[in-house]
Amino acid sequence: MSETPDSAVRTYIEHHRAVFLDDLVEWLRIPSVSAQPEHTPDVQRSADWLAAKLEETGFPTVEVWRTPGAPAVFAEWPSHDPQAPTVLVYGHHDVQPAAREDGWDSEPFEPLVRDGRLYARGAADDKGQVFFHTLGVRAHLAATGRTAPAVNLKLLIEGEEESGSPHFRALVEERAERLTADAVIVSDTGMWAEDTPTVCTGMRGLAECEIRLHGPDQDVHSGSFGGAVPNPATAVARLVAALHDEHGRVAVPGFYDGVVELTARERALFAELPFDERQWLCTAKSYAAHGEAGYTTLERVWARPTAEVNGIGGGYQGPGSKTIIPSSAMVKLSFRLVAGQDPDQVEKAVRHWIAEQVPPGVRCEIDFGSATRPCLTPLDHPALRSVVRAMGRAFEKPVRFTREGGSGPAADLQDVLGAPVLFLGISVPSDGWHAPNEKVELDLLLKGVEASAHLWGDLAEHWRHAP
Amino acid sequence: MSETPDSAVRTYIEHHRAVFLDDLVEWLRIPSVSAQPEHTPDVQRSADWLAAKLEETGFPTVEVWRTPGAPAVFAEWPSHDPQAPTVLVYGHHDVQPAAREDGWDSEPFEPLVRDGRLYARGAADDKGQVFFHTLGVRAHLAATGRTAPAVNLKLLIEGEEESGSPHFRALVEERAERLTADAVIVSDTGMWAEDTPTVCTGMRGLAECEIRLHGPDQDVHSGSFGGAVPNPATAVARLVAALHDEHGRVAVPGFYDGVVELTARERALFAELPFDERQWLCTAKSYAAHGEAGYTTLERVWARPTAEVNGIGGGYQGPGSKTIIPSSAMVKLSFRLVAGQDPDQVEKAVRHWIAEQVPPGVRCEIDFGSATRPCLTPLDHPALRSVVRAMGRAFEKPVRFTREGGSGPAADLQDVLGAPVLFLGISVPSDGWHAPNEKVELDLLLKGVEASAHLWGDLAEHWRHAP
């Protein structure tokens, strides 16, 4: 029986998996915790280690890019085909803090393989999912007999994702020319479940603000003045209460302007997923599902924009009581945005709406932080179809579709580079991102290698540049 | 020209004012700050000093009553007339904390007379207003030739008013038999202005609660779960927003049950007061008047029940942002109550209403503290008319009517003893209660002596017990 391309990839991976895993374990031993200053040298060491490994993999160009914070690693391997598309892989080499006493069963930076799982901080988030591309591209070359990838392959692996990527956008803007790509592949997400390979098609955006309402110049006595002057804590509560209508929709006029609605096909695809709401509520630590009328829970978290209170405060919050009308009160709101929403327009709409809500005698201050745009790749986008085929070949199963409710720095790549964002991830919910005993399933990790190996050829074949 | 009773009182006061003031200054030197443990011996000394002075004044019974906190002073001087009513004067001998560096122009416990004013902590609140009764009762005896007051006169001067009177109610309940009275005279308030003698006819009550709403078992990610589970901060805000209707009325069903409405006469009397809303807003440190539709500002603070937020909190309140759905949120509410409202009924109504507001998936805890009842003496009550006549004779001016928006321990006397509460006070808003440079106007203080001197005879004459 002659070898198919898929079995050739598998054979190659089988031969090289031991070294691949040894290398990953070596990388995972570096505690590249970006949030903890004492690990600054480790984050640098992690970047250097990755750079060396990418050179060893064969990338002709590998650079460590300094930022005002932690360094990023950039690598580039041009195709020999002048019509090949250019693909930029995004991931990160920094990790969340971890300590044995947080509840780990083993040392978080002494990787341990047990029952087909590799336990270590960063195993899934995100070193494992970055690293599968190294064996992936080698398998791609070996199986196709190429000496360079079928696409122009670029990697940008940042070092501050776990610290909120404070310098990422500036870096991307500064290096935009080097980063130019036809598509961005984000390797920092996961799939629905061990037995349900999925491709994520979008990510919500994020706009955040803090609203401070000022009433009396100082706290005043609620006996002497109660009932006769405006109370800023009441005003802030009324603002929050007015934020949603009785159908759970955000009541700010203009908020939904431009929102790309779910298509019937997407809703049908979401509905196909084996979703257990009771199970989901356990994960959400919550006792009821609640949200915009007319949408399922998955639709609410993946495809609908929201307004949430992240914090509220004003007046006396200590033990016992204090009979005051507080001088001020504040609320922190965050808005998750979906495709079609422009954060600047949302900010404008929210500011306008708030100005109309604030009662006489109350002064209002509003601060918006920097926003993150949403991203969404249409189901029929050729690059998305390539990702789906690559996953399907790796898993030998039908691939389903998800979205991501959170927001990420990859949106900056979409924004600055003008390229669609695609997601290729093999992590599963049980992997325990940010939690003790983070792990990656070894068989899924190798499926990730396979999917990476298939993706480059598929993209080049189906999404060529016009000659 | 033969001496009238009023001029006899004045003559007596004129002859004894110097000693009276020297004595008061001596008392004011004792820093009886009940809130500061280092002043515990001073509070005791203040009680002993007052007890000795009341004996010297002629009270046949004087006792220092211990409590688990600071001591109270009780004194009793029975009338020789078996049909005389019994009157209990309430005041306090403890004072607010004070230190030169808080902004005092002189030492707060080194009394200073300047421009007809006596500056010292406690000068107005409340030692001066307690002490005027000592010279008052002596003037009453001198001018009428009596050897005992025309009424059975009792004094209860507590030592913890500035610390929230934590043991006052228990004391009153325990000593109820000794304290029995037909009326309570509170000497711990003030009047409208230097040139506007007034009598206060009521005080609002107070019910307080803390409401804690619990959503997810821990803070959860607003990207992963935002828009799909209940947010307790939103729920607490909606609760607060629903607390008032669009007319500024408290929307809790049953809240207004039993409320004694203002009569047309009372509203007319309030309207006669020279009220300057701009000036009032300065005192309120506020930029707008706001409250229940259909009532003036004075009516709102004096005669209408209210619901106010004293504090609200939940989720992340630090700098920057944190994209969470908070696990819990809380609000502290206080309700000012007016005559006819029963704190227990209000608590029941509020609990019932809250239970109906809390959305599915949110758990609610409510704690009510101990409540204070409102008090109100009708304008035509014979004892109130005596107080008004006594003030009118002292000031030789028409006496107007006010109420008090705050709440006080005197309500416990009304409650336990079943006696109406009347207010006799000569302090003015500029006296600076609880503030630096507290003072009392000496001429008003002596008017207080005069009013006290007139009151006992008037009460005995117009409000005799049936033989």
Side-chain angles (χ1 to χ4, degrees):
Chain A
M1 200 173 89
S2 83
E3 206 173 46
T4 65
D6 290 15
S7 66
V9 161
R10 264 180 215 126
T11 303
Y12 186 87
I13 294 172
E14 203 48 50
H15 286 154
H16 294 83
R17 59 174 284 175
V19 175
F20 166 76
L21 288 176
D22 285 351
D23 284 346
L24 175 57
V25 162
E26 195 175 289
W27 194 19
L28 290 168
R29 285 187 197 279
I30 304 174
S32 49
V33 180
S34 59
Q36 296 174 333
E38 65 269 32
H39 286 298
T40 301
D42 296 317
V43 181
Q44 178 68 51
R45 200 148 58 87
S46 162
D48 293 340
W49 185 95
L50 176 62
K53 194 55 62 181
L54 293 173
E55 276 175 13
E56 197 183 309
T57 301
F59 281 83
T61 302
V62 178
E63 295 169 18
V64 174
W65 285 353
R66 291 211 189 129
T67 75
V73 176
F74 173 75
E76 187 173 6
W77 197 338
S79 170
H80 293 150
D81 177 357
Q83 283 148 44
T86 301
V87 175
L88 174 67
V89 172
Y90 166 85
H92 60 91
H93 66 90
D94 64 322
V95 298
Q96 280 278 315
R100 179 78 184 251
E101 54 269 27
D102 295 342
W104 286 76
D105 296 329
S106 55
E107 287 296 334
F109 297 106
E110 291 178 16
L112 180 78
V113 174
R114 199 174 51 216
D115 301 333
R117 292 163 177 162
L118 171 56
Y119 290 89
R121 172 57 86 225
D125 177 20
D126 184 34
K127 284 172 175 167
Q129 302 204 104
V130 165
F131 204 58
F132 71 56
H133 288 294
T134 60
L135 185 55
V137 68
R138 297 264 11 137
H140 161 60
L141 299 181
T144 57
R146 292 171 179 275
T147 53
V151 296
N152 300 302
L153 188 58
K154 296 178 181 179
L155 262 65
L156 180 62
I157 311 302
E158 72 154 317
E160 297 188 306
E161 200 274 345
E162 300 296 2
S163 301
S165 304
H167 307 101
F168 186 69
R169 181 158 184 124
L171 181 74
V172 172
E173 283 173 347
E174 193 187 317
R175 309 280 190 155
E177 230 168 297
R178 300 287 303 281
L179 295 170
T180 315
D182 299 301
V184 173
I185 305 282
V186 172
S187 260
D188 186 26
T189 55
M191 46 185 231
W192 182 261
E194 279 83 343
D195 55 357
T196 312
T198 50
V199 165
C200 173
T201 64
M203 204 165 56
R204 291 196 290 191
L206 180 63
E208 292 169 292
C209 68
E210 180 173 316
I211 305 160
R212 290 180 298 280
L213 298 186
H214 302 276
D217 281 339
Q218 60 190 52
D219 294 350
V220 296
H221 195 284
S222 74
S224 306
F225 305 107
V229 297
N231 182 326
T234 305
V236 95
R238 296 178 82 99
L239 196 70
V240 170
L243 200 53
H244 296 88
D245 69 12
E246 70 275 27
H247 308 296
R249 280 174 67 89
V250 178
V252 175
F255 181 75
Y256 289 93
D257 284 1
V259 160
V260 175
E261 297 289 336
L262 278 164
T263 62
R265 180 152 174 248
E266 281 171 300
R267 301 187 81 164
L269 287 169
F270 287 176
E272 276 176 16
L273 288 164
F275 177 71
D276 176 345
E277 189 150 281
R278 231 179 35 145
Q279 184 64 41
W280 181 86
L281 281 173
C282 284
T283 319
K285 317 267 181 211
S286 292
Y287 296 87
H290 170 87
E292 190 181 354
Y295 294 91
T296 67
T297 290
L298 284 183
E299 289 166 355
R300 286 168 177 167
V301 292
W302 286 349
R304 297 302 298 169
T306 65
E308 288 288 354
V309 178
N310 308 125
I312 190 167
Y316 181 68
Q317 300 180 46
S321 65
K322 195 173 176 190
T323 48
I324 53 166
I325 297 173
S327 167
S328 66
M330 71 91 201
V331 63
K332 288 175 191 275
L333 299 179
S334 64
F335 300 89
R336 297 285 165 174
L337 310 178
V338 300
Q341 282 182 302
D342 173 12
D344 294 339
Q345 288 302 319
V346 166
E347 174 176 339
K348 201 175 288 180
V350 169
R351 281 184 182 277
H352 184 79
W353 176 79
I354 290 170
E356 291 195 333
Q357 303 291 314
V358 175
V362 172
R363 189 168 55 80
C364 177
E365 290 177 292
I366 312 170
D367 285 333
F368 270 83
S370 62
T372 304
R373 284 176 192 277
C375 34
L376 179 67
T377 306
L379 290 177
D380 55 2
H381 191 286
L384 180 67
R385 295 166 80 126
S386 287
V387 173
V388 171
R389 275 190 299 267
M391 284 288 279
R393 285 163 71 184
F395 282 88
E396 299 175 287
K397 271 191 183 176
V399 173
R400 301 180 187 278
F401 293 90
T402 64
R403 289 201 202 173
E404 167 60 42
S407 314
D412 289 323
L413 293 167
Q414 164 196 260
D415 228 31
V416 178
L417 308 178
V421 170
L422 307 155
F423 300 83
L424 180 68
I426 51 75
S427 180
V428 285
S430 63
D431 283 352
W433 290 33
H434 300 199
N437 299 320
E438 178 181 348
K439 53 89 179 165
V440 68
E441 303 280 331
L442 288 180
D443 58 340
L444 297 184
L445 186 67
L446 295 174
K447 297 284 182 207
V449 175
E450 259 185 83
S452 168
H454 297 316
L455 180 58
W456 318 125
D458 193 290
L459 274 170
E461 187 180 337
H462 294 91
W463 201 37
R464 296 173 65 74
H465 277 244
Chain B
M1 201 174 85
S2 83
E3 205 173 45
T4 66
D6 290 16
S7 66
V9 161
R10 264 180 215 127
T11 304
Y12 186 86
I13 293 172
E14 202 49 51
H15 287 155
H16 294 84
R17 59 174 285 174
V19 175
F20 166 76
L21 288 175
D22 285 351
D23 284 345
L24 176 55
V25 162
E26 196 176 288
W27 194 20
L28 290 169
R29 285 188 197 279
I30 303 174
S32 49
V33 181
S34 59
Q36 296 174 333
E38 65 268 32
H39 287 297
T40 301
D42 296 317
V43 181
Q44 178 68 51
R45 199 148 56 88
S46 162
D48 293 339
W49 185 96
L50 176 62
K53 194 55 63 180
L54 292 173
E55 277 175 13
E56 197 184 311
T57 301
F59 281 84
T61 303
V62 179
E63 296 170 18
V64 174
W65 285 353
R66 291 211 189 131
T67 76
V73 177
F74 173 75
E76 187 171 7
W77 198 338
S79 170
H80 293 152
D81 177 358
Q83 283 149 44
T86 302
V87 175
L88 173 66
V89 172
Y90 166 85
H92 60 93
H93 67 90
D94 63 322
V95 298
Q96 279 278 314
R100 179 77 184 252
E101 55 270 26
D102 295 343
W104 286 74
D105 296 331
S106 57
E107 288 296 334
F109 297 106
E110 291 178 15
L112 181 78
V113 173
R114 198 175 51 215
D115 302 333
R117 291 164 178 161
L118 171 56
Y119 290 89
R121 172 57 84 225
D125 177 21
D126 184 33
K127 285 174 175 167
Q129 302 205 105
V130 166
F131 205 59
F132 70 57
H133 288 292
T134 60
L135 185 54
V137 70
R138 297 261 18 133
H140 161 59
L141 299 181
T144 57
R146 293 172 178 272
T147 53
V151 298
N152 300 302
L153 188 58
K154 297 179 181 180
L155 263 64
L156 179 62
I157 311 302
E158 71 155 317
E160 297 188 306
E161 199 274 346
E162 300 296 1
S163 300
S165 303
H167 307 101
F168 186 69
R169 182 161 184 123
L171 180 73
V172 172
E173 284 174 346
E174 193 186 319
R175 309 279 191 154
E177 230 167 298
R178 302 285 306 277
L179 296 169
T180 314
D182 299 301
V184 174
I185 305 281
V186 172
S187 258
D188 186 26
T189 55
M191 46 184 232
W192 180 263
E194 279 81 343
D195 55 358
T196 311
T198 49
V199 165
C200 173
T201 65
M203 206 166 53
R204 293 196 288 190
L206 179 63
E208 293 169 290
C209 68
E210 179 174 316
I211 305 161
R212 291 180 298 281
L213 298 186
H214 302 275
D217 281 337
Q218 61 190 52
D219 295 350
V220 296
H221 194 286
S222 73
S224 305
F225 304 107
V229 296
N231 182 326
T234 304
V236 95
R238 296 178 83 100
L239 197 69
V240 170
L243 199 54
H244 295 88
D245 70 12
E246 69 276 26
H247 307 297
R249 279 174 67 87
V250 179
V252 176
F255 181 75
Y256 291 93
D257 283 2
V259 160
V260 174
E261 296 290 334
L262 278 163
T263 62
R265 175 144 180 256
E266 281 171 301
R267 301 187 81 165
L269 288 168
F270 287 176
E272 275 177 17
L273 289 164
F275 177 71
D276 177 345
E277 188 151 283
R278 231 180 33 146
Q279 186 63 43
W280 181 86
L281 281 174
C282 285
T283 319
K285 317 269 182 210
S286 292
Y287 296 88
H290 170 87
E292 189 181 354
Y295 294 91
T296 68
T297 291
L298 284 183
E299 289 167 355
R300 285 168 177 167
V301 292
W302 286 348
R304 298 300 299 168
T306 65
E308 288 288 354
V309 178
N310 307 126
I312 190 168
Y316 181 68
Q317 300 181 46
S321 65
K322 194 172 176 191
T323 46
I324 53 165
I325 297 173
S327 166
S328 66
M330 72 93 202
V331 63
K332 287 174 192 278
L333 300 178
S334 63
F335 301 88
R336 295 286 165 175
L337 309 178
V338 301
Q341 282 181 302
D342 172 11
D344 294 338
Q345 287 303 319
V346 166
E347 174 176 339
K348 202 175 288 180
V350 170
R351 282 184 183 274
H352 183 79
W353 176 79
I354 289 170
E356 290 196 332
Q357 303 291 313
V358 175
V362 173
R363 189 168 55 81
C364 178
E365 289 177 293
I366 312 170
D367 284 334
F368 269 82
S370 62
T372 304
R373 284 177 191 277
C375 33
L376 179 67
T377 306
L379 290 177
D380 55 1
H381 190 283
L384 180 67
R385 296 164 79 126
S386 288
V387 173
V388 171
R389 276 190 299 267
M391 284 288 281
R393 286 163 69 184
F395 282 88
E396 300 175 286
K397 272 191 183 178
V399 173
R400 300 180 187 277
F401 294 90
T402 64
R403 289 203 203 171
E404 168 60 42
S407 314
D412 289 323
L413 293 168
Q414 164 196 261
D415 228 31
V416 177
L417 309 179
V421 170
L422 306 155
F423 300 84
L424 180 68
I426 51 74
S427 180
V428 287
S430 64
D431 283 351
W433 290 32
H434 300 198
N437 299 318
E438 177 179 348
K439 53 89 179 165
V440 68
E441 303 280 332
L442 288 179
D443 57 340
L444 297 184
L445 186 67
L446 297 173
K447 297 284 182 206
V449 176
E450 260 184 83
S452 169
H454 296 314
L455 181 57
W456 317 126
D458 194 291
L459 273 169
E461 186 178 338
H462 292 93
W463 200 39
R464 295 175 64 75
H465 277 244

